[in-house]
Structures are given as structure tokens and as C-alpha cells.
């Protein structure tokens, strides 16, 4: 492949840049094709004996999003008045379907 042609050089740079960004280490894991991870949000406590509440949102094709994945919705679902710890769970498949869950622990 010859890189003397400007369009080929630009195309190669874009492809290389996309792979470089996708492979960069960051504070959270990345997955271009599939992503399924639970991420810490706030707080620190032994969650073993605490109540747990969850709230979920979904996204389709980054065009339509619905749901309530707020901390308040998760508190209400779990009957929690005082929050000790919050996690976020993210699942995304090729940007086609995304599910976002807020998980709240507390009393």
C-alpha cells in the first residue's frame, strides 16, 4: 500500500487513530464491540447487610433513550432513605443497544 496518495494517508491515519483511542488505558474499561461492566460511583461501605435498590434506562441506536436510572429512582425501588454507596452498571452492544443501571445501597 502506497502512502503517497493523500486520501490513503488520511484513511490510514483515521484507522490507526481509532485503534489507538480504543486501546488507551483509562479510568474505566472500554469495549468497542461489547461492554458490560459495573463501575463504582460514590461511597465506601460494607454493603453485605444493606438494602439494595436498582433503576434502569435503555438506549437504542443512540437515537431513542428511555427510563429513569437516577439515584432517587433506585432509592425508591429499594426503600432506601440514606445512601451509603452507589454503583453504575453499563452494558452496550455495538452502540445499537445500551442498558444503564444505577445500583444504590443504604438504609
Amino acid at each position: 500500500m502506497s502512502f503517497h496518495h493523500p486520501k490513503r494517508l488520511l484513511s490510514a491515519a483515521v484507522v490507526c487513530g481509532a485503534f489507538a483511542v480504543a486501546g488507551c488505558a483509562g479510568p474505566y474499561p472500554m469495549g468497542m464491540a461489547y461492554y458490560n461492566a459495573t463501575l463504582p460511583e460514590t461511597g465506601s461501605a460494607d454493603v453485605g447487610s444493606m438494602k439494595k435498590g436498582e433503576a434502569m434506562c435503555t438506549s437504542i441506536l443512540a437515537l431513542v433513550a428511555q427510563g429513569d436510572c437516577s439515584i432517587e429512582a433506585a432509592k425508591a425501588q429499594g426503600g432506601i432513605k440514606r445512601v451509603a454507596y452507589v454503583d453504575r452498571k453499563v452494558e452496550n452492544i455495538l452502540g445499537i443497544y445500551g442498558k444503564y443501571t444505577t445500583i444504590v445501597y443504604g438504609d
Side-chain angles (χ1 to χ4, degrees), residues 27-89:
Y28 298 114
M30 295 177 69
M32 288 180 66
Y34 179 73
Y35 186 98
N36 186 1
T38 300
L39 311 169
E41 192 69 29
T42 61
S44 67
D46 177 13
V47 298
S49 63
M50 295 185 182
K51 293 179 184 177
K52 176 181 173 183
E54 295 187 10
M56 186 186 69
C57 299
T58 58
S59 171
I60 300 171
L61 295 173
L63 296 173
V64 177
Q66 67 176 11
D68 183 354
C69 51
S70 67
I71 291 173
E72 289 301 317
K75 282 173 56 179
Q77 190 276 328
I80 297 170
K81 299 210 184 295
R82 188 176 60 88
V83 174
Y85 193 82
V86 178
D87 280 336
R88 302 248 188 230
K89 183 170 180 168

